[in-house]
Amino acid sequence: AVSWYDEFQRLYDTIPCVEVQALKEHNDQVLHLSFSHSGCLFASCSKDCTVKIWSNELDISLQHSSNMRPYNWSYTQFSQFNSDDSLLLVSGVFVGPHNSSSGEIAVISMENFTLLSRVRNKPYDVFGCWLNETNLISGNLHRIGRITSCSVLWLNNAFQGIESENVNVVKRLFKIQNLNASTIRTVMVADCSRYDSPDLLLDYEEQLAASSTCPVFDLGSDSEEEEAKPRRPAEPAVQELPAAGGVPAEQGLQQLFDDIMEGRVGPAMTETELETKVAELFVRSRTKPPEPNLLPTDSSSKTKYLIFTTGCLTYSPHQIGIKRILPHQMTTAGPVLGEERRSDEFFDSLDHVIDIHGHIIGMGLSPDHRYLYVNSRAWPRDCVISDPMQPPPIAEEIDLHVFDLKTMKEVKRALRAHRAYTPNEECFFIFLDVSRDFVASGAEDRHGYIWDRHYNICLAKLQHDNVVNSVAFSPVEQELLLTASDDTTIKVWRSPRAVRVRQARRPRPRKLLFSWLMNQKS
């Protein structure tokens, strides 16, 4: 801020909190919204099994609708434009039994809205994402035991029609073991090359060091005493995974079997505990160690992070996994199953794990990919999980955490205002979005919410008639926000300033009486 008045005007006049349009073309719950990078188009996914593409002109209008039921889809759930807006990734759920977890990813051309390819995706809440202009990431799940599985992440070429013995259209990226009924879900990609030119810095000391040309107004602290207090260690903790040490895993596994056969294991282990213990020992001896030096030091680095939800204690997602994607892994060229591996490198390890201590229900990246925002519903502070199929109860309040992906530290106190009510087994994803100055999220309390990224304050509540599932800022105009709800509508919100500007541009209709008088004179 240059002055207090400018800052007040920004907070008062530029928040997209005025409803200007309600789109009602969907006939079932609207689950997700995504803008093209140019801001000219956006896509919506719904329980009515269509993906609709809208034109963002003076008044938003429907441009195209694709029905996915002919492909045996139950509904569409997620979409994402590629970097040049020429292709649209659409993720959906297959028709099947209630507990079915299979889904599919479709790629649609924006030139003529034709379906280019379809890729299997399991579990369906992996969603999928673009790695670059022509390659996308999908998932697969292989059961090893009752509560142990293996997640495989695949790199797929969007143009599956290529048929050549010399050109692959798919390549295995990573293979990760899951313990205690956990699985990998909600994948996204962060571009490390953009970290050194962020839109804003959320750490005050770093802001101060970077602000040599203009003054910085610190309006965030509640008091001078609070500012003077030493900072507590950030929670949730970011854990760097240690290398396996101590007793070799093969000896540990053999020792466990010997103890079981000779009755030296006590108290008696349950079948679930035994499976988890064996899996932990096995994965120690069959996992490739983490990549060294995860944090990027070169601003021109082409490294990207694969970010996803995972877990280690129960099936509900309670950890964020981070895995570095190296430049040579960003193409489908080479062996389909990836590089050759030794027998002790059967699985890939995670480079970092962030433990949230709660059920993760949403994630979003800032426009500069520097900060990761995470919606979660907290577990009780001292809870103990003895059965992975019985996760702890979760809070109604939703916490919004903020992590700096350059330092791998939490940089903000959790934001609060929004709420959710569904229990663990029915909990669903609530999508959030981040602009230069604001962060927005849906909620189960029939409202969307907007916070200021600088000051941790809730600025606006946006009314719907049912659960708000998704929000989306225009990437070129943060004073335009969309919200999608179970009430089957998409609402369009603009700032008071944008509304005034748009009204001034519209030609005012001449009054009927004035027109009649002018006609009489002539």
Side-chain angles (χ1 to χ4, degrees):
V2 177
S3 69
W4 286 100
Y5 176 75
D6 288 344
E7 192 66 351
F8 168 77
Q9 193 171 39
R10 180 185 74 82
L11 292 173
Y12 178 79
D13 215 25
T14 66
I15 303 162
C17 58
V18 180
E19 181 184 341
V20 296
Q21 199 172 353
L23 309 175
K24 301 180 180 180
E25 278 77 356
H26 283 290
N27 55 35
D28 207 335
Q29 302 168 3
V30 188
L31 302 180
H32 184 256
L33 298 164
S34 64
F35 267 101
S36 63
H37 294 81
S38 68
C40 297
L41 302 172
F42 69 89
S44 58
C45 295
S46 169
K47 281 286 184 76
D48 65 13
C49 206
T50 66
V51 55
K52 297 186 187 299
I53 298 158
W54 308 77
S55 175
N56 180 25
E57 301 296 337
L58 190 63
D59 283 321
I60 291 171
S61 59
L62 180 63
Q63 190 170 28
H64 177 78
S65 181
S66 292
N67 182 13
M68 303 304 291
R69 288 201 193 280
Y71 304 103
N72 205 35
W73 285 26
S74 177
Y75 57 90
T76 59
Q77 60 171 353
F78 175 83
S79 65
Q80 185 183 43
F81 289 85
N82 70 341
S83 57
D84 65 2
D85 295 335
S86 62
L87 303 173
L88 179 67
L89 176 155
V90 183
S91 174
V93 180
F94 271 143
V95 173
H98 177 67
N99 58 354
S100 173
S101 63
S102 293
E104 194 171 64
I105 296 171
V107 178
I108 297 175
S109 168
M110 288 293 96
E111 182 179 359
N112 51 17
F113 304 115
T114 56
L115 182 63
L116 298 178
S117 58
R118 292 157 56 203
V119 175
R120 286 295 179 98
N121 191 39
K122 183 177 181 180
Y124 59 79
D125 48 6
V126 168
F127 294 123
C129 66
W130 292 104
L131 178 60
N132 48 43
E133 286 185 6
T134 57
N135 293 300
L136 59 100
I137 296 173
S138 66
N140 202 356
L141 185 66
H142 304 280
R143 293 291 175 189
I144 298 175
R146 191 175 73 88
I147 59 169
T148 309
S149 64
C150 172
S151 288
V152 181
L153 297 172
W154 293 90
L155 185 64
N156 308 268
N157 194 303
F159 302 95
Q160 297 279 320
I162 298 174
E163 293 183 4
S164 169
E165 294 180 357
N166 302 317
V167 179
N168 291 333
V169 295
V170 62
K171 185 172 76 173
R172 186 174 67 193
L173 265 182
F174 303 117
K175 184 165 55 174
I176 298 168
Q177 187 178 29
N178 305 310
L179 302 176
N180 290 320
S182 65
T183 60
I184 286 177
R185 313 177 191 184
T186 319
V187 297
M188 59 177 58
V189 172
D191 185 353
C192 305
S193 65
R194 302 162 70 177
Y195 290 175
D196 287 338
S197 55
D199 291 334
L200 74 143
L201 296 171
L202 296 181
D203 182 83
Y204 176 71
E205 292 178 1
E206 199 166 357
Q207 285 186 44
L208 203 59
S211 60
S212 57
T213 58
C214 62
V216 176
F217 290 88
D218 177 30
L219 311 180
S221 60
D222 296 330
S223 64
E224 294 180 3
E225 290 76 15
E226 180 182 331
E227 192 67 27
K229 289 180 182 177
R231 293 186 179 182
R232 296 180 180 179
E235 292 184 1
V238 180
Q239 307 166 2
E240 187 157 2
L241 300 183
V247 179
E250 293 89 343
Q251 295 182 20
L253 196 58
Q254 186 61 51
Q255 184 66 49
L256 176 64
F257 289 150
D258 291 344
D259 290 344
I260 292 172
M261 296 300 294
E262 297 178 16
R264 293 197 296 265
V265 176
M269 298 176 70
T270 65
E271 183 180 339
T272 298
E273 292 170 337
L274 179 60
E275 180 180 330
T276 300
K277 184 68 175 177
V278 170
E280 287 174 344
L281 289 169
F282 179 79
V283 77
R284 275 178 51 192
S285 63
R286 295 290 185 270
T287 299
K288 186 178 179 180
E291 297 287 347
N293 301 323
L294 172 67
L295 300 180
T297 56
D298 181 8
S299 61
S300 63
S301 171
K302 295 182 179 179
T303 301
K304 296 183 178 181
Y305 289 158
L306 183 65
I307 301 171
F308 46 84
T309 63
T310 182
C312 64
L313 302 174
T314 180
Y315 68 81
S316 64
H318 55 278
Q319 293 179 326
I320 298 167
I322 299 176
K323 183 68 180 173
R324 182 162 60 175
I325 306 175
L326 301 175
H328 72 273
Q329 297 173 310
M330 298 183 193
T331 171
T332 56
V336 171
L337 298 181
E339 302 169 351
E340 291 188 12
R341 298 165 179 253
R342 303 194 307 266
S343 61
D344 60 348
E345 296 181 346
F346 187 79
F347 297 109
D348 293 291
S349 60
L350 304 186
D351 295 321
H352 265 72
V353 171
I354 301 173
D355 196 300
I356 299 296
H357 194 75
H359 192 128
I360 299 169
I361 60 169
M363 293 198 302
L365 288 166
S366 61
D368 54 20
H369 287 206
R370 172 75 180 259
Y371 298 99
L372 177 67
Y373 287 73
V374 181
N375 267 336
S376 75
R377 297 173 61 185
W379 290 338
R381 182 178 296 274
D382 298 318
C383 66
V384 176
I385 300 175
S386 56
D387 182 356
M389 305 310 293
Q390 297 291 329
I394 50 180
E396 288 187 355
E397 295 83 7
I398 301 175
D399 296 329
L400 184 52
H401 303 278
V402 190
F403 296 94
D404 186 339
L405 292 177
K406 185 173 182 179
T407 62
M408 294 294 170
K409 294 179 180 178
E410 188 172 17
V411 294
K412 284 281 188 182
R413 293 171 300 204
L415 311 181
R416 277 189 174 177
H418 48 332
R419 303 175 72 86
Y421 307 107
T422 51
N424 258 313
E425 62 275 10
E426 300 174 16
C427 208
F428 54 87
F429 216 71
I430 294 177
F431 294 93
L432 56 94
D433 197 20
V434 188
S435 71
R436 175 186 170 86
D437 295 314
F438 307 125
V439 55
S441 174
E444 291 185 43
D445 58 11
R446 303 183 179 186
H447 288 88
Y449 288 82
I450 302 174
W451 293 264
D452 182 77
R453 289 181 64 192
H454 305 262
Y455 307 134
N456 287 358
I457 54 174
C458 183
L459 300 173
K461 292 175 66 175
L462 312 175
Q463 178 71 52
H464 271 271
D465 295 330
N466 211 322
V467 173
V468 178
N469 296 304
S470 180
V471 296
F473 286 102
S474 166
V476 296
E477 183 188 1
Q478 70 172 0
E479 295 179 40
L480 168 62
L481 177 71
L482 306 175
T483 54
S485 171
D486 279 359
D487 63 16
T488 75
T489 67
I490 300 168
K491 289 190 176 183
V492 184
W493 308 82
R494 293 189 181 273
S495 68
R497 180 174 69 177
V499 170
R500 290 196 307 271
V501 171
R502 290 166 66 84
Q503 287 175 345
R505 289 176 181 171
R506 292 177 182 269
R508 294 185 177 181
R510 301 171 73 183
K511 292 183 179 180
L512 291 176
L513 179 60
F514 180 74
S515 299
W516 179 80
L517 288 173
M518 292 300 292
N519 289 332
Q520 291 300 314
K521 282 186 177 183
S522 62

